[in-house]
Amino acid sequence: MDIGKVPENILKRSVFKYLHHHRKEVLIHPGIGEDCCAVEAGSGEIMVFSTDPVTGAEKGAGRIAVHINANDIASSGAEPVGILASIIMPPDASEASLKEIMKEISQACDELGIEVMGGHTEVSDIVKRTVINITCAGKVRKGHFIPAGGLSEGDDIVMTKWAGLEGTSIIAESKAEILQETLPKVLVETAASFKEYLSIVPEARIAAANGATAMHDVTEGGIFGALWEMGEASGTGITACLHKIPVRQETIEVCEVFNINPYMLISSGSLLIGCPNGNQLVEELSMNGIPAAVIGRAVNGNARVVTSGGETRYLGPAASDELYKVV
């Protein structure tokens, strides 16, 4: 299989097929585009859980691992509470590198106001480089959970920040010397600084309070993959306009050096939001210092397309992320 997310057809026949639902407390089950599960906890509250590893980044991996999991929780309308961290390191790893990872994890948790509740650390010759897996737990009041698959026909689709954020940051840090052969040093440094935008917790909170019907953070497969996943989870079609998808010039320059597509590049830090009045939500986000744009809408049918001029691109399940062509 290709590096990256396991394809949808394999997930359906080799993963989801073997999952059985035995507990009535489990409210949200595994599915395409759904990054969280939800469990009824009593007293009018729902506990929300998500888990994801970091495998494509080395510098700043601890920080990234916390944010991508807290993002999943926040994109369900829930409040992140804490994490469990599993760190598996190769035999040639040093204690100093473990200390650095834990410092990054701790700092990211402090920024979000959440706790490291436990975890596991191990050295194993089964891995070539360190693998960090985080499980994040959150809570939300019953009736306020927002699924990725909540789109209805006619909903606007709002995108926050810019396409390719996380991937740009990872490439700019890990391939700085190569990039600086053709790009100004200041541009490469700015691209690397995009890691400061990785959290979508603030915009998810604002969207949840302003009528969001669906939310999905943009991770592997980039904005094209996320649009398809949101439509698939919702059972709707999607029409988006390429020129309305925000992307930073630094991302375009970095992607041109390595001949990769910025719209298919991992984009943690960007959130897709379905809502009845996208322009109103964009104004609310803007007043809170969060750039956003209406990039499309949910439509009847199953086609998910991106238009550009007179051309139409039909989207499908995300293939291997563009990041893996570089790192």
Side-chain angles (χ1 to χ4, degrees):
M1 294 187 288
D2 292 333
I3 293 174
K5 281 186 176 182
V6 174
E8 177 221 350
N9 58 335
I10 295 178
L11 279 176
K12 286 182 176 179
R13 68 173 179 255
S14 298
V15 178
F16 294 158
K17 178 181 177 180
Y18 298 99
L19 304 182
H20 306 127
H21 310 314
H22 301 295
R23 304 289 303 200
K24 64 181 181 180
E25 302 98 323
V26 179
L27 306 177
I28 301 294
H29 301 111
I32 301 298
E34 290 291 357
D35 294 322
C36 297
C37 71
V39 181
E40 189 166 10
S43 303
E45 283 197 334
I46 293 172
M47 295 300 297
V48 182
F49 301 91
S50 180
T51 187
D52 261 315
V54 168
T55 56
E58 293 184 11
K59 293 182 179 180
R63 177 182 176 83
I64 292 171
V66 173
H67 280 301
I68 63 173
N69 282 279
N71 285 353
D72 282 343
I73 298 298
S75 66
S76 73
E79 173 191 359
V81 172
I83 65 165
L84 300 171
S86 175
I87 303 170
I88 303 177
M89 310 182 76
D92 61 353
S94 65
E95 181 181 349
S97 62
L98 174 61
K99 186 180 293 186
E100 183 63 24
I101 289 169
M102 284 309 306
K103 185 188 295 185
E104 293 170 356
I105 287 174
S106 178
Q107 288 175 345
C109 286
D110 288 347
E111 291 170 11
L112 295 170
I114 65 179
E115 290 197 18
V116 179
M117 302 183 296
H120 176 76
T121 53
E122 178 180 338
V123 175
S124 173
D125 60 5
I126 202 69
V127 297
K128 297 179 181 178
R129 59 183 181 183
T130 299
V131 175
I132 305 171
N133 192 80
I134 299 284
T135 297
C136 191
K139 64 178 183 177
V140 64
R141 285 182 296 146
K142 194 170 183 179
H144 291 261
F145 182 90
I146 301 173
L151 282 178
S152 297
E153 184 180 343
D155 279 353
D156 288 329
I157 298 174
V158 172
M159 174 184 166
T160 68
K161 303 196 189 92
W162 311 280
L165 265 178
E166 182 185 354
T168 301
S169 174
I170 292 171
I171 294 170
E173 283 203 319
S174 63
K175 304 294 182 181
E177 290 185 7
I178 296 174
L179 289 169
Q180 287 176 27
E181 292 175 2
T182 54
L183 300 176
K185 182 179 179 181
V186 66
L187 185 149
V188 177
E189 290 175 344
T190 300
S193 75
F194 286 176
K195 63 186 177 183
E196 301 302 322
Y197 297 110
L198 291 183
S199 177
I200 56 89
V201 173
E203 54 254 54
R205 188 179 295 121
I206 293 167
N210 285 272
T213 58
M215 292 195 286
H216 187 41
D217 60 324
V218 187
T219 54
E220 280 197 45
I223 186 64
F224 284 175
L227 284 167
W228 188 89
E229 288 173 351
M230 185 176 248
E232 179 71 6
S234 303
T236 66
I238 286 178
T239 297
C241 297
L242 187 68
H243 73 273
K244 292 183 179 180
I245 297 175
V247 58
R248 290 279 294 259
Q249 186 62 34
E250 293 87 351
T251 294
I252 293 172
E253 300 284 354
V254 167
C255 289
E256 284 184 351
V257 169
F258 292 103
N259 193 29
I260 58 175
N261 189 330
Y263 304 105
M264 298 169 68
L265 179 63
I266 188 167
S267 301
S268 296
S270 178
L271 178 66
L272 283 181
I273 307 162
C275 60
N277 191 332
N279 289 322
Q280 183 176 320
L281 178 57
V282 167
E283 288 182 14
E284 186 69 27
L285 289 164
S286 178
M287 286 191 294
N288 285 272
I290 300 168
V294 177
I295 65 168
R297 65 173 46 204
V299 297
N300 185 40
N302 292 315
R304 291 109 204 186
V305 303
V306 174
T307 61
S308 178
E311 298 182 359
T312 298
R313 177 188 181 120
Y314 286 83
L315 303 179
S320 180
D321 196 275
E322 295 286 84
L323 179 68
Y324 298 116
K325 297 178 180 178
V326 181
V327 301

